[in-house]
Amino acid sequence: MDYQTILEDIHHNLTARKDKGKVALYIPELAKVNIDNFGIYLNLINGENYAVGDYNKLFSIQSTSKIFALAKAFSIAGNDLWKRLDVEPSGNPFNHLSLLEQENGIPRNPLINSGAIVISDLLLSNLKNPKKDFLNYIRDLANDDSINYNEEVAKSEKKTGFRNYAAANLLKSFSNLENNVEDVLDFYFYQCSLEMSCAQLAKAVHFFGNHGVCSQGKKHLSSSQIKRINAIMLTCGFYDEAGEFAFEVGLPGKSGVGGGIIALLPNDFTIATWSPGLNAKGNSLLGMHALEQFTTKTKRSIF
Ligand code: DON
């Protein structure tokens, strides 16, 4: 298959579009990003790589970090994790609050903000140097020591993250946080502020497409654990647009409000796209179209 030509065609078609969505405004640092950035990186499980556009530029991975945090927490806590979290789609936006109150502080899944905050709490309790250890985990997965947090983005979100404070306080009131709210959110905001390129992201998620084995051959999770995380990505990775993503693209994936999306076909490939303009549901507009075109043109999806 001529992957390079397929990626170039998709990039060319979508760059011509006038409507590129809107960059996220609620995190002030993200509002400064140029909407014209657009990159795609394809990592085949056999080691081949194909890329187009701004695939080497760094961007804020935001909620995409939730799959790495989930993987690390699952490797630490095993199935005990599911005592504190459910695995059902929420059908609501990522920062929705009322379900958490109705369901007694058990988040619907680990990929909505409240669920990711529970995961942050678990990592904070179990990692010796949480920020440093989590960063090293990502660097190891991507085989790239240049990856870092962006402190300006983390601080920017800390000032305006009112809904995350609300979620964390609700979790605390239901005794589903061990640590105090400030410390948990500090870690959560740092985690979300990680900056990576499409190339780094596609390589870092390689282990989700390869039964838990990363591109350097190290086993991070069992095949069964990877199956479960990929199932959560498929059903919950795009919040109230998870159905639409499954319908259009047909892959497990995860988005972030920085405009990045990762998706993967087990045993076959991982792919990362970045276009900072978001649709009304907070997912990258061009990224969703790019992935729909990719799975349609290549006829490669889980369905
Ligand atoms: O907590 C937040 O609101 C952001 N740090 C992350 C949200 C996000 O990326 C949602 N994804 N589409």
Side-chain angles (χ1 to χ4, degrees):
M1 180 126 24
D2 187 355
Y3 285 114
Q4 190 59 37
T5 303
I6 291 173
L7 292 186
E8 282 167 13
D9 282 352
I10 293 171
H11 192 269
H12 179 78
N13 292 342
L14 290 173
T15 306
R17 274 183 65 123
K18 279 204 184 101
D19 180 12
K20 296 188 163 77
K22 292 196 174 88
V23 296
L25 298 176
Y26 79 103
I27 302 175
E29 279 296 306
L30 295 188
K32 299 176 184 168
V33 176
N34 182 348
I35 197 161
D36 292 325
N37 286 295
F38 184 25
I40 310 175
Y41 195 95
L42 173 68
N43 171 241
L44 301 192
I45 300 302
N46 72 12
E48 288 171 32
N49 294 294
Y50 301 89
V52 67
D54 300 306
Y55 63 87
N56 263 331
K57 278 198 198 168
L58 299 180
F59 60 91
S60 193
I61 73 165
Q62 291 297 321
S63 285
T64 313
S65 66
K66 291 170 181 168
I67 55 174
F68 300 118
L70 171 60
K72 186 72 193 164
F74 203 7
S75 74
I76 294 170
N79 286 330
D80 281 350
L81 199 57
W82 313 120
K83 292 179 185 157
R84 298 178 63 183
L85 290 159
D86 207 341
V87 293
E88 293 298 336
S90 71
N92 277 297
F94 58 88
N95 55 7
H96 183 79
L97 291 168
S98 63
L99 270 181
L100 188 61
E101 166 83 344
Q102 279 166 37
E103 296 177 356
N104 303 318
I106 300 294
R108 274 285 169 111
N109 67 69
L111 302 183
I112 52 174
N113 285 9
S114 56
I117 291 168
V118 168
I119 298 278
S120 293
D121 181 56
L122 190 141
L123 294 179
L124 206 55
S125 295
N126 286 282
L127 299 178
K128 245 191 196 150
N129 299 297
K131 284 181 191 162
K132 191 165 159 250
D133 296 353
F134 187 68
L135 181 60
N136 284 338
Y137 178 62
I138 304 287
R139 287 176 171 179
D140 191 31
L141 287 173
N143 194 21
D144 192 331
D145 284 345
S146 70
I147 296 169
N148 239 314
Y149 299 115
N150 181 327
E151 294 199 16
E152 291 310 312
V153 172
K155 280 184 203 152
S156 173
E157 192 172 3
K158 205 176 239 189
K159 281 192 204 138
T160 55
F162 306 113
R163 298 189 70 86
N164 286 323
Y165 279 94
N169 278 296
L170 261 179
L171 289 165
K172 189 78 185 168
S173 77
F174 284 108
S175 304
N176 201 1
L177 284 191
E178 289 175 356
N179 300 282
N180 71 51
V181 164
E182 270 305 325
D183 294 345
V184 176
L185 288 180
D186 180 63
F187 180 70
Y188 171 76
F189 293 142
Y190 263 77
Q191 167 201 311
C192 291
S193 82
L194 275 169
E195 288 192 326
M196 291 170 80
S197 64
C198 290
Q200 290 168 333
L201 261 181
K203 288 177 190 162
V205 298
H206 182 98
F207 76 125
F208 291 115
N210 193 30
H211 299 273
V213 179
C214 71
S215 51
Q216 293 89 259
K218 193 164 143 194
K219 181 104 172 153
H220 289 270
L221 286 173
S222 70
S223 294
S224 158
Q225 288 174 313
I226 289 292
K227 177 184 79 175
R228 299 194 195 293
I229 297 180
N230 287 342
I232 294 172
M233 281 198 237
L234 182 75
T235 52
C236 312
F238 295 80
Y239 314 107
D240 45 343
E241 206 168 32
E244 181 75 10
F245 192 81
F247 182 77
E248 297 287 347
V249 179
L251 296 173
K254 183 72 205 84
S255 60
V257 289
I261 297 180
I262 66 89
L264 62 109
L265 181 61
N267 305 317
D268 202 327
F269 65 82
T270 66
I271 189 165
T273 63
W274 176 46
S275 170
L278 308 179
N279 64 20
K281 304 274 166 103
N283 299 312
S284 172
L285 182 73
L286 295 197
M288 296 257 303
H289 286 305
L291 291 167
E292 185 279 318
Q293 291 187 16
F294 182 77
T295 55
T296 302
K297 283 177 196 278
T298 59
K299 300 190 177 66
R300 278 179 153 75
S301 88
I302 61 168
F303 304 110

